[in-house]
Amino acid sequence: MSVYGGDSWGREAQQRKRRVDDLLSSSSNASSSFKKLSSGKFVCLVCPHNPVLDSSLMLSVHNKGSRHVAAQAKQKENELRRQQELNKRIVLSSKTKIQPKTTSSNNHVKPLVEQTRTTILELQSTKFTLNAKDAASNDSHSSISSRERRQKELKFIAAGWKRDCHGKWFRDENVEFDSGEEDPNVCPL
Amino acid sequence: MFLYSLTLHRATGVVCASIGSFVGGKSQEIVVARGKSLDLLRPDESGKVVTLHSVEVFGAIRSLVPFRLTGSQKDYLAVGSDSGRLVILEYSKERNCFDKVHQETFGKSGCRRIVPGQFLAVDPKGRALMVAACEKQKLVYVLNRDATARLTISSPLEAHKSYTITYSITGVDCGFDNPIFAAIELDYSEADRDPTGQAAAEAQKHLTFYELDLGLNHVSRKWSEPIDNGANLLVSVPGGGDGPSGVLVCAENFIIYRNQDHPEVRAVIPRRTDLPEERGVLIVSAATHRQKSMFFFLLQTEYGDVFKVTLEHEGDRVSELKIKYFDTFPVTSAMCVLKAGYLFAASEFGNHALYQFRAIGDGDDVESSSANLMETEEGFQPVFFQPRGLRNLALIDQIESLMPVMDMRVMNLFDEETPQIFTLCGRGPRSSVRILRPGLAINEMAVSQLPGAASAVWTVKKNVNDEFDAYMVVSFQNATLVLSIGETVEEVSDSKFLDTTPSLAVALLGEDSLMQVHPNGIRHIREDGRVNEWRTPGKKTIVKVGSNQFQVVIALSGGELIYFDMDMMGQLMEADKNEMPGDVACLAFAPIPEGRRRSRFLAVGSYDNTIRILSLDPDDGMQVLSVQSVSSPPESLLFLEVKASTGGEDGADHPASLFLNAGLQNGVLFRTVVDMVTGQLSDTRSRFLGLRAPKLFSCMVRGRQAMLCLSSRPWLGYIHQGHFLLTPLSYETLEYAASFSSDQCAEGIVAVAKDQLRVFTIERLGETFNETAIPLRYTPRRFVVLPKRKHLAIIESDKGAFTAEEREALRKECMEANGVGENGNTGAMDNGGEDGEERDEPMTDEQFGYPKAESDKWVSCIRILDPKSRETTCLLELQDNEAAFSVCTVNFHDKDNHGMLLAVGTGKGLTFFPKRTVEAGFIHIYKFVDEGRSLELLHKTQVDDVPLALCQFQGRLLAGIGSVLRLYDLGKKKLLRKCENKLFPRTIVSIHTYRDRIYIGDIQESFHYCKYRRDENQLYIFADDTVPRWLTAAHHIDFDTMAGADKFGNIYFARLPQDTSDEIEEDPTGGRIKWEQGKLNGAPNKVEEIVQFHVGDVVSCLQKASLIPGGGDSIIFGTVMGSLGALLAFTSREDVDFFSHLEMHMRQEHPPLCGRDHMAFRSAFFPVKDVIDGDLCEQFPTLPLDMQRKIADELDRTPSEILKKLEDIRNKII
């Protein structure tokens, strides 16, 4: 990993991190984005062609890949749309269930009841749409900020900063720094 | 990819030169080897050196020696080359070429240790010839002649001695006794076997005489004596009645006369007073001058001082050896003394010179003699002298030389029509920036202002037999000005020309009458002063005129042609009329065939895009013989006749042919062959010349008819060594031109441009480029172009020299030391003024070289040069023994406040011997101040080795420091190391970048392709080359391809295979590039060599560029010997087939002159791949006609089609 020689602790830290990753992936079965096969390999369930990956490292690397991210976003979107559709259907079905009754029965009989129902319905449907809107805006906001964060992080890496096992930034011992250079620990991302 | 290789500019450096009478008779010629070409030069009457013949030999010439068989009038030339063959050439005056008389094979090809070819010596009587290797082998050939007086050569006699290194050989002049060859030899057999090194320390050089016993046909070692270990050169002393015989041994600090049974006579070589004590003085070149009654030697030292050596002798006993200071000129690789009183000095670097003898060193200069040689305890007492300006010689001509080309860029900095080539040339004080422009150099003789904008100019003689022109007629919008040509050019009024009207043509008619054509008529001025005027009928005006000596044709508005003919009485008579379908655009007569009075054809260009050939036969009545349609209306027509030639001055065989040239309105020059009998047109060629319609004029160049084409720049079409060359002139746009001949200039051209009249001559025909030189201070190393201000930043450095201040101080000291005593006016000297009457010119470093310092001392400077004004705007001399080695411009991102910066890599105290060591390396960062005209040091960063390569990359600086590649960012006090890769094998010498790829050139391991990963801040090597290449030049071609040149003279292209490249690019995670491992510490992927070509000369710079506007890119390269070449990629498969077949036939039918097999030469280190040798193909016109036809038949073409093809492909490059 490091070209500077074997005594750097960066490698050990990285291995430890990988082990933790491994454990995490084995424990968090709840996440349905992949499946561990009997051969010990992993299959990604998100990507449409379900690629088989040899190790958890490769899986995590794959999970960071643009194709996977795209597939995940698409899946999320699909889920959301499905949910919305479902909600709408439920509402509509409840409406249609009631409506024949109302049409068949007298409208004027129970105007108050009818009014309340429609209000509730409206309320419910706006709530759904509002929710959906909220989720979408949240998503885009986070993606922009993450891109910025990524850029900033890259800048620090290129300037010679590294992260230790706690996610803290430290200076690479082989890289030189100017006296007044920005410290990523001080100005958080 | 297939490439076509072509030399654009022949090598200009000289490896060896020799003098002889190759043409025969009294004349003397200089034969010059320029690496792989052989030239025959001769100073003409005016003292200009002209090239008689130049031939590419496709091999490395290592030695030349002329010899003459007794009683013969003509010299032969023996050539030692890398072909493993001895070749004897004879110059054929008739065909102007060298003929191979003998070719004797004796060994393997290539420059090898024990294969002879490095040294050649010949018996002064021309009876035997010795060819020697650097080690062991020496072969002697006996030369004789057979009954028909042809040269014969014996089988070789061996004079080998193992474990012996040869330093120099020469033939000893011993009259008609058995031929003797002398050699400086060193026996290393004991040194080789002695591990303690004692024997090596005691090794002794010997002077050995080899005698060829003509009776026994055997060579024996006759005499061997130890000589100084500093001996390096032998010069033969005349003998056999003319002198004492024997040899001069040139050794370090001494010249020693040696002969068998003769005590040695030794004299010390005088030293310059300012030479450091530990430096010796060596002789590098020698020339002998012999006359009937006397002889002397001119020997040049490594510092450029020339000494005249004379021997006092009685019979064959030498009593005294005298060495007298003669003159000083730049160090030569060879000197030749001509009988006509010239000295040709073939410079080691830089321009060659021709000097004329003013005296032969009889003045009172410092002299050292064997008679007063003093030996003290410390050794021999030295003799000192002070170099002075030329006194015995006078410089009369210089031959420009680019050698060595250190760096080169093709750029259009001057916004001209074609790009300029900027080259760094030369060495030490003779170095320069040379700006090469494609085109012929012109020599402007006069420029004079005219009263208004002129439209045309003509020159006329008064009589057809006159040598010079009498009148120059300039036509304006509404007037005509007549000038007489004499000592001066002045206006005349008694010429009888009509001056109130513009003129359309002015010419000499018949023997001695003049004609002026103006829009309203023809004015015929007879010799006796009578004037005949012919007026146009009705309101018609004359629009175009064509004329020759006896015929005139005019075109009237509306398309009517009237043809006049001169009768026996000298009267101009209307002979015929013809109606053309539309207005006539131009007219031209064909040349008058030999032995006839009238031209047979008239060419008429019309605005309907046609050219017609009309018959002028009285019986035909201006009948149309042929019609050629062209792409645009023709503007100007000219017939150009090429006389039949079988070699001769032309150097080529071709039949007589007639070309019709037409300048079309779209700027194209259209050329077609006219059948001289039927007038049919065939074989058309066209070439774009410029943005204006070319106007064509006939002029004389070297006594032959040539064509001047005036488009947006002027061009000259002429025949040179069998090729029709159409070359631009380096001159501004001209309006109208005429040939001009007066007693001041025999072959000039007069032209009008706006309101100026210009007279000029055309120089150095046959050359592709003309040069402008700007001198530099030290050996230039590299340069960068500062694109915004169009300046150049040049780094220069030299080893073993003093800095400018030290030199100035030394000079002052020196002046004071001997100047005060002489005349006491030191004040004038401080200003660099004259030093009294003794030295009438200040000592220039170009002439005398820099004073020598200790060998580990470096001087260096950084220069900002404005090439347009030729002005140096900033010159920073580096201090502290630092020398600059690399330079680049860099823009640091995030540090915008600085803008563009200049990074310079320097080394401090670099030594190469006994081991390469360096005290420290530095990277200087300079800021541009004063609008980019000057530099200011921002800071300098110490590094552990010399940074030999610098390059900007993603807003940071990449530096190759020894074997480490580092990425630097700009800090406040120094550069900050951000990332590095130490996995390069040797030393990084070149860095190129493209997107995120980095292409590294290693000094001995070819290219390495790298990638920088920002997210990890790491540099990875993902591909390298399989071949160990000692890289001398590199250039980036495309994303996967690099072009490189190695120090053995090969050019190659390395390309990453497409699938590998795709794999690397489609690796989003980067895991592959990170983890993949190559075998044996190499990179995981390997580049492929797709092109391979042996140039035969060390290529020092490469660039992809186009030399013609709108042309495709080719690779332009410059070499150490000062040549420029190009590699052009073929665009069609047919062309590849055609040229590879032509090359194959040429290889078979026209093997190279020095005996090297062409294919073997081009594949000297690696088999040639996908490159066709254009230099060989271009020798096609020099073949005999029947051979040309035979090859053409094999290719299913005609010889003229092949010539056309060759011309076309050349025109694509330049």
Side-chain angles (χ1 to χ4, degrees):
Chain A
M1 191 45 209
S2 167
V3 293
Y4 302 115
D7 54 351
S8 160
W9 57 268
R11 176 172 292 212
E12 199 192 325
Q14 222 125 17
Q15 270 163 351
R16 205 179 327 141
K17 185 165 181 292
R18 206 184 301 161
R19 180 70 191 136
V20 171
D21 277 352
D22 226 333
L23 286 173
L24 264 176
S25 65
S26 57
S27 61
S28 62
N29 277 336
S31 105
S32 57
S33 72
F34 67 88
K35 198 173 112 191
K36 196 166 183 181
L37 299 177
S38 56
S39 60
K41 292 184 178 180
F42 297 88
V43 60
C44 176
L45 301 177
V46 177
C47 296
H49 59 284
N50 297 359
V52 178
L53 298 142
D54 291 350
S55 65
S56 65
L57 178 72
M58 291 181 81
L59 177 71
S60 62
V61 165
H62 166 82
N63 285 356
K64 282 180 205 153
S66 58
R67 218 178 277 171
H68 180 85
V69 169
Q72 209 167 17
K74 206 167 181 187
Q75 199 187 21
K76 227 177 194 175
E77 207 178 315
N78 279 341
E79 196 112 313
L80 210 66
R81 201 186 301 133
R82 205 165 48 111
Q83 197 68 40
Q84 210 175 328
E85 190 67 35
L86 213 68
N87 285 335
K88 214 155 103 193
R89 290 255 174 98
I90 293 167
V91 171
L92 283 179
S93 63
S94 57
K95 203 175 174 184
T96 44
K97 249 187 240 163
I98 300 158
Q99 258 179 358
K101 266 189 190 167
T102 48
T103 44
S104 60
S105 64
N106 198 346
N107 295 19
H108 320 284
V109 182
K110 292 161 187 167
L112 204 63
V113 176
E114 180 65 11
Q115 228 171 2
T116 344
R117 189 171 285 154
T118 46
T119 335
I120 289 167
L121 250 175
E122 264 173 17
L123 254 176
Q124 270 179 337
S125 62
T126 49
K127 195 177 137 203
F128 290 137
T129 52
L130 264 178
N131 267 350
K133 259 186 200 163
D134 221 33
S137 70
N138 256 345
D139 213 39
S140 68
H141 185 71
S142 71
S143 79
I144 286 168
S145 71
S146 84
R147 203 180 304 136
E148 271 172 3
R149 263 170 56 183
R150 181 82 191 135
Q151 277 304 320
K152 221 162 178 186
E153 195 167 331
L154 273 177
K155 212 181 102 191
F156 282 120
I157 292 172
W161 292 91
K162 284 185 164 182
R163 279 186 194 273
D164 64 5
C165 46
H166 309 297
K168 276 218 155 196
W169 291 97
F170 68 98
R171 291 177 169 188
D172 186 340
E173 68 263 41
N174 289 302
V175 174
E176 293 167 340
F177 293 88
D178 223 353
S179 49
E181 209 158 300
E182 273 188 305
D183 190 340
N185 293 320
V186 177
C187 51
L189 300 171
Chain B
M1 179 161 56
F2 282 86
L3 300 174
Y4 183 77
S5 137
L6 192 65
T7 302
L8 300 178
H9 185 78
R10 284 259 171 94
T12 48
V14 170
V15 177
C16 43
S18 207
I19 188 151
S21 176
F22 302 103
V23 173
K26 286 244 183 292
S27 74
Q28 278 190 309
E29 292 81 35
I30 304 158
V31 62
V32 163
R34 305 183 188 272
K36 52 185 181 129
S37 69
L38 193 65
D39 288 13
L40 193 66
L41 312 176
R42 179 161 62 187
D44 64 6
E45 311 84 57
S46 60
K48 284 230 178 299
V49 178
V50 287
T51 306
L52 292 183
H53 176 57
S54 173
V55 63
E56 174 94 35
V57 297
F58 305 105
I61 300 174
R62 297 151 82 192
S63 49
L64 289 176
V65 55
F67 66 91
R68 176 181 294 203
L69 298 174
T70 19
S72 158
Q73 291 299 307
K74 199 176 166 186
D75 284 347
Y76 291 97
L77 180 70
V79 181
S81 66
D82 64 345
S83 59
R85 287 165 162 169
L86 176 73
V87 172
I88 295 177
L89 304 176
E90 184 185 9
Y91 180 71
S92 153
K93 190 180 165 190
E94 294 73 39
R95 294 187 295 115
N96 186 26
C97 67
F98 281 107
D99 288 329
K100 212 185 291 181
V101 184
H102 284 288
Q103 174 172 302
E104 294 299 314
T105 309
F106 48 66
K108 288 183 177 179
S109 63
C111 293
R112 293 164 193 265
R113 244 172 29 161
I114 63 160
V115 176
Q118 183 66 33
F119 302 108
L120 267 179
V122 71
D123 171 59
K125 294 281 182 254
R127 295 168 297 166
L129 189 147
M130 176 182 261
V131 52
C134 301
E135 203 175 318
K136 186 179 172 184
Q137 293 199 8
K138 288 187 193 68
L139 297 171
V140 176
Y141 289 87
V142 180
L143 305 167
N144 218 325
R145 65 175 104 200
D146 63 7
T148 51
R150 278 192 315 224
L151 176 73
T152 60
I153 190 165
S154 71
S155 48
L157 304 168
E158 291 184 358
H160 302 342
K161 188 162 187 292
S162 304
Y163 305 107
T164 307
I165 296 168
T166 308
Y167 290 86
S168 175
I169 63 170
T170 187
V172 180
D173 190 354
C174 48
F176 286 99
D177 292 345
N178 277 335
I180 291 176
F181 295 98
I184 301 175
E185 294 180 340
L186 177 76
D187 190 325
Y188 68 88
S189 55
E190 303 214 335
D192 231 15
R193 278 183 231 123
D194 179 13
T196 61
Q198 198 191 350
E202 287 169 1
Q204 176 67 45
K205 281 185 188 171
H206 281 77
L207 175 67
T208 310
F209 278 22
Y210 290 88
E211 186 183 20
L212 166 67
D213 193 319
L214 287 171
L216 295 174
N217 205 21
H218 174 73
V219 183
S220 57
R221 277 167 81 87
K222 201 182 178 195
W223 183 69
S224 188
E225 278 281 298
I227 44 163
D228 287 28
N229 265 347
N232 67 319
L233 187 69
L234 289 176
V235 183
S236 158
V237 176
D242 297 341
S245 177
V247 288
L248 286 182
V249 180
C250 305
E252 193 175 13
N253 297 326
F254 297 102
I255 307 281
I256 309 151
Y257 171 78
R258 296 299 297 262
N259 200 0
Q260 257 174 300
D261 313 322
H262 193 288
E264 70 165 35
V265 183
R266 175 186 292 258
V268 66
I269 304 173
R271 300 169 67 85
R272 283 190 186 189
T273 39
D274 59 356
L275 203 61
E277 246 172 64
E278 75 274 8
R279 275 187 181 259
V281 183
L282 280 175
I283 298 296
V284 291
S285 66
T288 311
H289 180 64
R290 294 176 72 154
Q291 279 177 344
K292 280 228 169 70
S293 55
M294 54 89 86
F295 61 88
F296 64 83
F297 309 93
L298 290 179
L299 305 180
Q300 191 178 35
T301 67
E302 56 189 313
Y303 310 111
D305 304 316
V306 180
F307 295 98
K308 178 188 169 188
V309 176
T310 45
L311 292 170
E312 294 284 321
H313 67 101
E314 244 170 75
D316 54 359
R317 305 311 288 179
V318 173
S319 53
E320 194 181 353
L321 173 78
K322 288 182 189 167
I323 307 176
K324 192 172 193 180
Y325 175 61
F326 192 73
D327 262 337
T328 300
F329 50 79
V331 182
T332 60
S333 52
M335 292 190 291
C336 300
V337 180
L338 280 81
K339 286 208 179 94
Y342 295 120
L343 177 88
F344 176 72
S347 295
E348 194 179 17
F349 299 103
N351 293 354
H352 312 301
L354 186 73
Y355 297 95
Q356 190 164 32
F357 282 96
R358 285 194 291 189
I360 51 165
D362 297 328
D364 50 344
D365 276 307
V366 173
E367 187 174 66
S368 101
S369 163
S370 59
N372 48 24
L373 183 71
M374 302 270 284
E375 188 161 9
T376 60
E377 282 167 13
E378 291 136 37
F380 292 99
Q381 192 77 45
V383 176
F384 292 103
F385 76 99
Q386 187 71 36
R388 50 156 173 76
L390 291 177
R391 192 185 290 166
N392 294 309
L393 298 172
L395 179 71
I396 54 168
D397 191 23
Q398 285 213 342
I399 308 170
E400 279 163 348
S401 167
L402 295 179
M403 175 185 183
V405 178
M406 299 293 286
D407 202 355
M408 173 198 74
R409 294 275 188 296
V410 182
M411 297 278 274
N412 196 352
L413 285 191
F414 299 155
D415 296 321
E416 288 172 5
E417 201 163 308
T418 53
Q420 304 88 45
I421 305 178
F422 294 85
T423 53
L424 296 183
C425 306
R427 201 183 142 266
R430 302 187 80 206
S431 45
S432 58
V433 175
R434 294 190 193 221
I435 305 164
L436 307 183
R437 292 181 172 90
L440 291 171
I442 66 118
N443 182 12
E444 198 168 70
M445 316 268 292
V447 178
S448 60
Q449 204 70 29
L450 292 171
S455 59
V457 62
W458 301 270
T459 52
V460 278
K461 292 174 183 170
K462 269 189 175 158
N463 190 297
V464 74
N465 299 320
D466 281 356
E467 195 179 345
F468 302 127
D469 292 321
Y471 293 116
M472 188 190 293
V473 182
V474 186
S475 169
F476 297 91
Q477 205 62 48
N478 49 12
T480 298
L481 178 72
V482 185
L483 305 163
S484 80
I485 303 169
E487 284 289 295
T488 56
V489 173
E490 49 201 33
E491 192 174 346
V492 287
S493 49
D494 58 347
S495 62
K496 300 234 163 78
F497 283 117
L498 200 61
D499 55 0
T500 52
T501 163
S503 297
L504 291 172
V506 173
L508 179 78
L509 271 192
E511 291 279 306
D512 48 13
S513 62
L514 299 174
M515 173 193 70
Q516 179 189 19
V517 183
H518 50 87
N520 296 319
I522 302 175
R523 194 178 171 88
H524 186 195
I525 306 160
R526 305 290 294 267
E527 190 257 342
D528 51 12
R530 281 179 297 156
V531 175
N532 296 344
E533 186 99 27
W534 179 90
R535 297 239 154 240
T536 51
K539 289 207 167 151
K540 288 195 170 172
T541 55
I542 302 175
V543 284
K544 299 287 171 198
V545 191
S547 72
N548 61 24
Q549 205 190 339
F550 299 106
Q551 296 157 292
V552 180
V553 65
I554 55 168
L556 299 179
S557 49
E560 191 180 350
L561 284 183
I562 305 177
Y563 167 49
F564 296 89
D565 197 0
M566 201 169 191
D567 66 6
M568 299 310 264
M569 304 299 293
Q571 201 85 17
L572 205 57
M573 304 296 279
E574 193 177 318
D576 213 336
K577 267 189 189 182
N578 199 345
E579 196 72 37
M580 298 306 285
D583 263 348
V584 172
C586 44
L587 293 165
F589 280 108
I592 301 170
E594 220 165 294
R596 299 183 65 129
R597 219 179 117 92
R598 279 176 190 77
S599 165
R600 297 191 51 212
F601 307 124
L602 172 71
V604 181
S606 313
Y607 288 105
D608 56 358
N609 295 2
T610 56
I611 299 170
R612 291 178 172 79
I613 301 286
L614 308 187
S615 168
L616 294 178
D617 216 313
D619 309 331
D620 283 354
M622 296 185 92
Q623 175 197 346
V624 176
L625 293 177
S626 56
V627 181
Q628 171 78 46
S629 91
V630 285
S631 54
S632 166
E635 169 82 16
S636 175
L637 287 171
L638 182 76
F639 280 95
L640 198 61
E641 188 179 19
V642 177
K643 295 245 161 64
S645 155
T646 46
E649 288 283 288
D650 258 4
D653 287 359
H654 48 82
S657 49
L658 186 62
F659 288 97
L660 174 64
N661 298 281
L664 308 186
Q665 266 180 9
N666 54 7
V668 168
L669 177 76
F670 180 84
R671 237 173 119 225
T672 167
V673 176
V674 185
D675 189 307
M676 282 194 265
V677 179
T678 61
Q680 291 302 310
L681 302 174
S682 61
D683 188 17
T684 62
R685 310 170 189 193
S686 53
R687 181 164 183 194
F688 177 72
L689 297 191
L691 297 171
R692 284 167 48 169
K695 286 187 199 139
L696 310 178
F697 303 95
S698 163
C699 63
M700 295 303 276
V701 170
R702 279 209 205 132
R704 272 197 291 271
Q705 201 197 3
M707 173 176 64
L708 194 68
C709 318
L710 305 182
S711 179
S712 50
R713 55 178 171 157
W715 294 68
L716 185 76
Y718 63 105
I719 303 264
H720 181 78
Q721 297 194 341
H723 295 277
F724 177 81
L725 297 181
L726 190 60
T727 327
L729 301 180
S730 282
Y731 207 37
E732 42 200 286
T733 310
L734 301 175
E735 206 64 48
Y736 205 93
S739 70
F740 176 81
S741 162
S742 76
D743 51 353
Q744 281 104 11
C745 88
E747 283 183 353
I749 289 167
V750 58
V752 289
K754 289 180 192 136
D755 58 346
Q756 280 181 327
L757 191 70
R758 292 159 186 270
V759 180
F760 59 91
T761 55
I762 297 164
E763 299 200 328
R764 297 185 199 282
L765 291 176
E767 291 196 358
T768 338
F769 297 102
N770 79 81
E771 314 181 0
T772 325
I774 306 169
L776 299 176
R777 193 179 271 185
Y778 307 119
T779 308
R781 303 289 165 174
R782 286 191 199 170
F783 76 113
V784 286
V785 177
L786 313 172
K788 222 180 196 170
R789 310 218 46 104
K790 300 193 172 173
H791 289 179
L792 310 178
I794 305 167
I795 52 169
E796 305 162 35
S797 50
D798 260 330
K799 193 166 178 275
F802 292 107
T803 59
E805 297 97 73
E806 284 170 330
R807 275 204 310 276
E808 198 49 45
L810 266 179
R811 186 171 296 173
K812 235 179 242 174
E813 203 175 280
C814 189
M815 293 273 185
E816 266 159 27
N818 55 6
V820 177
E822 273 172 28
N823 42 28
N825 59 341
T826 43
M829 278 171 254
D830 286 358
N831 310 334
E834 269 94 276
D835 185 11
E837 64 279 1
E838 246 307 272
R839 285 171 221 141
D840 39 0
E841 52 201 84
M843 305 232 298
T844 54
D845 290 325
E846 286 83 11
Q847 180 89 9
F848 297 98
Y850 286 136
K852 298 290 179 281
E854 296 77 41
S855 60
D856 57 348
K857 236 171 118 36
W858 284 87
V859 286
S860 180
C861 65
I862 304 165
R863 179 193 297 264
I864 305 289
L865 181 82
D866 179 3
K868 200 154 198 178
S869 65
R870 317 174 81 196
E871 182 194 349
T872 298
T873 58
C874 172
L875 185 79
L876 293 180
E877 188 117 4
L878 297 182
Q879 304 298 324
D880 258 3
N881 209 9
E882 261 185 73
F885 289 94
S886 53
V887 64
C888 85
T889 55
V890 56
N891 249 318
F892 286 98
H893 75 147
D894 303 342
K895 313 282 196 296
D896 284 332
N897 49 341
H898 287 302
M900 191 166 72
L901 301 171
L902 189 74
V904 178
T906 67
K908 184 179 174 184
L910 181 67
T911 56
F912 297 109
F913 187 79
K915 197 170 170 285
R916 186 183 182 277
T917 55
V918 63
E919 280 171 42
F922 294 96
I923 300 175
H924 296 229
I925 300 289
Y926 292 95
K927 194 162 73 173
F928 288 97
V929 291
D930 190 15
E931 293 179 325
R933 297 163 64 82
S934 195
L935 292 174
E936 188 184 292
L937 183 69
L938 210 58
H939 52 59
K940 73 182 203 184
T941 312
Q942 184 164 353
V943 291
D944 36 6
D945 203 344
V946 186
L948 287 177
L950 296 172
C951 187
Q952 175 175 346
F953 176 68
Q954 294 185 353
R956 297 207 250 178
L957 180 69
L958 267 175
I961 298 158
S963 67
V964 184
L965 180 68
R966 285 217 183 110
L967 190 60
Y968 281 103
D969 207 343
L970 187 70
K972 283 179 189 143
K973 295 243 172 66
K974 60 172 198 160
L975 290 173
L976 306 170
R977 184 176 66 210
K978 289 301 179 192
C979 175
E980 66 179 354
N981 188 329
K982 293 180 174 170
L983 296 174
F984 293 95
R986 193 85 201 163
T987 305
I988 295 169
V989 289
S990 83
I991 303 177
H992 292 82
T993 59
Y994 187 72
R995 289 200 252 164
D996 65 338
R997 276 196 190 170
I998 303 165
Y999 310 86
I1000 301 294
D1002 188 87
I1003 198 165
Q1004 70 176 55
E1005 293 284 347
S1006 190
F1007 292 116
H1008 294 253
Y1009 286 25
C1010 306
K1011 230 178 163 68
Y1012 173 67
R1013 291 194 47 111
R1014 223 175 127 207
D1015 54 348
E1016 288 170 49
N1017 191 29
Q1018 293 286 345
L1019 289 157
Y1020 293 104
I1021 305 172
F1022 64 85
D1024 64 6
D1025 200 352
T1026 49
V1027 187
R1029 296 274 193 173
W1030 293 74
L1031 213 61
T1032 55
H1035 191 73
H1036 175 248
I1037 304 288
D1038 63 36
F1039 193 52
D1040 292 326
T1041 316
M1042 286 294 287
D1046 69 22
K1047 73 169 186 179
F1048 307 106
N1050 303 308
I1051 285 186
Y1052 67 103
F1053 282 25
R1055 174 174 283 174
L1056 193 67
Q1058 191 59 51
D1059 48 342
T1060 320
S1061 177
D1062 288 348
E1063 252 172 50
I1064 284 152
E1065 291 314 305
E1066 289 165 7
D1067 183 16
T1069 62
R1072 188 184 197 104
I1073 190 173
K1074 198 151 130 191
W1075 298 110
E1076 221 169 16
Q1077 287 277 307
K1079 293 182 176 63
L1080 297 170
N1081 295 327
N1085 305 299
K1086 297 291 171 190
V1087 294
E1088 286 172 351
E1089 298 204 337
I1090 53 166
V1091 163
Q1092 168 58 50
F1093 188 64
H1094 182 66
V1095 176
D1097 195 353
V1098 184
V1099 174
S1100 54
C1101 40
L1102 284 168
Q1103 204 197 343
K1104 189 169 82 167
S1106 164
L1107 290 177
I1108 46 170
D1113 276 351
S1114 46
I1115 303 288
I1116 315 288
F1117 57 88
T1119 70
V1120 166
M1121 286 299 288
S1123 72
L1124 295 178
L1127 294 168
L1128 177 79
F1130 280 107
T1131 44
S1132 81
R1133 190 79 218 176
E1134 291 93 82
D1135 278 357
V1136 176
D1137 279 350
F1138 170 77
F1139 280 105
S1140 49
H1141 279 104
L1142 179 62
E1143 188 189 30
M1144 185 186 80
H1145 287 295
M1146 287 300 291
R1147 271 180 187 148
Q1148 272 171 0
E1149 308 294 349
H1150 190 62
L1153 198 59
C1154 76
R1156 188 85 200 258
D1157 179 57
H1158 177 264
M1159 179 78 123
F1161 173 68
R1162 290 302 183 195
S1163 312
F1165 288 81
F1166 301 93
V1168 59
K1169 189 170 188 308
D1170 297 353
V1171 183
I1172 288 155
D1173 186 1
D1175 294 336
L1176 182 70
C1177 294
E1178 288 212 337
Q1179 288 189 347
F1180 179 78
T1182 64
L1183 293 180
L1185 267 186
D1186 50 341
M1187 190 70 83
Q1188 288 187 20
R1189 229 169 277 133
K1190 190 182 145 203
I1191 293 178
D1193 282 348
E1194 300 259 0
L1195 295 169
D1196 281 340
R1197 291 176 196 251
T1198 63
S1200 68
E1201 278 173 343
I1202 294 180
L1203 293 179
K1204 184 181 168 185
K1205 273 270 195 201
L1206 288 168
E1207 202 179 293
D1208 280 351
I1209 194 142
R1210 197 184 180 95
N1211 292 345
K1212 277 187 195 165
I1213 298 174
I1214 188 152

